[in-house]
Amino acid sequence: MPIETVQIPTADGRADAFAAFPDDGARHPGVLLYMDAFGLRPVLEEMARELAGHGYYVLVPNVFYRHGPAPVVALPEHIGEEARPALFAQLMPLIEAHTTERALRDADAYVEFLTAQPEVGPGPIAAIGYCMGAVLAMRTAAAQPGRVAAVAGFHPGRLVTDAPDSPHRHLSGLTAEVYLGPAENDMTPETIGELDRALDATGVGHTTEVYPGTVHGYTMADTAAYDPAALQRHWDRLLPLLDRTLTNG
């Protein structure tokens, strides 16, 4: 699957992004894929290609575009534990600057761009994300009722907090089916219970499945957290979700 570099107009500038889609001249359902905190890099291109191979147009924006084009922070080829402190010292200001207000403005722009592509068919899209991207996917789905039919988050970031803008407090517009796959220590049972109650209140179908024996970041093959079996389970859950919620083929 070819990777195409694109520029997404937003209220605050232009977000660089890449897209992967079948090169067959047909229209396919759209998937908005939100990056993890480390940002756009080859492993995400590989994941987008894999997903595109199943018949989807996959758009992966650089969430940190306000700070420059990707890669915003220089990354080693393999992100080991020893590299994380220095990397997060650079990344945390970018993460903290990406406020809920900015995330929602960007979500509007990303969805508009995705659904306007000639390779994307009519009908709803999916929003999926990894780490902090799971939070952005959930916010996007809640803010785009009727347009986002599926949301999936793997080793998700903070979906339940004490803050007034915590994602779990703003799900009233949600119409998408939800699948969440936290790593073993990502969420306490109490946090999962609170999130499940918030999702119950929306009436949507939802599943939270803890991936035993994993650590945060388990899908990312360029990190020390990578777990091949867990990555495969992620595909085994994600692909059926997309197949039953989007108009594929």
Side-chain angles (χ1 to χ4, degrees):
M1 295 293 154
I3 290 286
E4 179 179 274
T5 301
V6 297
Q7 296 285 326
I8 305 172
T10 77
D12 299 325
R14 299 181 73 82
D16 54 304
F18 61 77
F21 52 92
D23 190 18
D24 58 5
R27 302 175 75 189
H28 298 277
V31 177
L32 175 58
L33 191 160
Y34 281 111
M35 66 190 210
D36 63 351
F38 292 125
L40 302 195
R41 59 198 194 281
V43 71
L44 287 178
E45 293 185 6
E46 293 167 13
M47 293 173 77
R49 281 194 180 99
E50 173 73 20
L51 190 50
H54 292 275
Y56 299 98
Y57 182 108
V58 186
L59 179 67
V60 189
N62 170 23
V63 169
F64 298 146
Y65 71 89
R66 292 175 180 84
H67 306 275
V72 180
V73 171
L75 298 171
E77 190 171 318
H78 183 267
I79 304 169
E81 287 300 319
E82 72 286 348
R84 292 175 68 89
L87 284 175
F88 273 98
Q90 299 176 75
L91 290 167
M92 284 309 298
L94 310 185
I95 295 168
E96 291 167 357
H98 198 65
T99 61
T100 299
E101 292 75 19
R102 284 183 168 184
L104 293 175
R105 287 203 302 273
D106 288 349
D108 287 343
Y110 299 157
V111 172
E112 289 299 327
F113 181 90
L114 175 59
T115 56
Q117 298 313 295
E119 300 88 358
V120 176
I125 65 167
I128 69 175
Y130 303 84
C131 176
M132 62 174 276
V135 174
L136 300 176
M138 189 73 85
R139 292 199 191 281
T140 299
Q144 302 277 345
R147 302 186 79 181
V148 180
V151 58
F154 299 92
H155 41 90
R158 302 179 70 196
L159 292 169
V160 177
T161 74
D162 293 331
D165 64 348
S166 174
H168 83 293
R169 302 182 194 277
H170 297 273
L171 299 178
S172 60
L174 190 69
T175 58
E177 183 178 343
V178 177
Y179 177 86
L180 299 171
E184 194 168 76
N185 296 318
D186 276 339
M187 303 169 74
T188 66
E190 293 75 20
T191 299
I192 291 173
E194 189 168 355
L195 180 57
D196 282 345
R197 287 189 292 274
L199 289 166
D200 285 342
T202 69
V204 302
H206 62 93
T207 301
T208 300
E209 179 183 16
V210 176
Y211 283 43
T214 61
V215 297
H216 186 75
Y218 60 77
T219 62
M220 297 297 159
D222 62 348
T223 75
Y226 178 52
D227 184 318
L231 175 63
Q232 185 56 53
R233 178 184 291 195
H234 138 281
W235 290 120
D236 292 344
R237 302 299 188 267
L238 177 59
L239 293 173
L241 170 69
L242 300 181
D243 189 56
R244 66 176 172 264
T245 56
L246 304 185
T247 311
N248 198 353

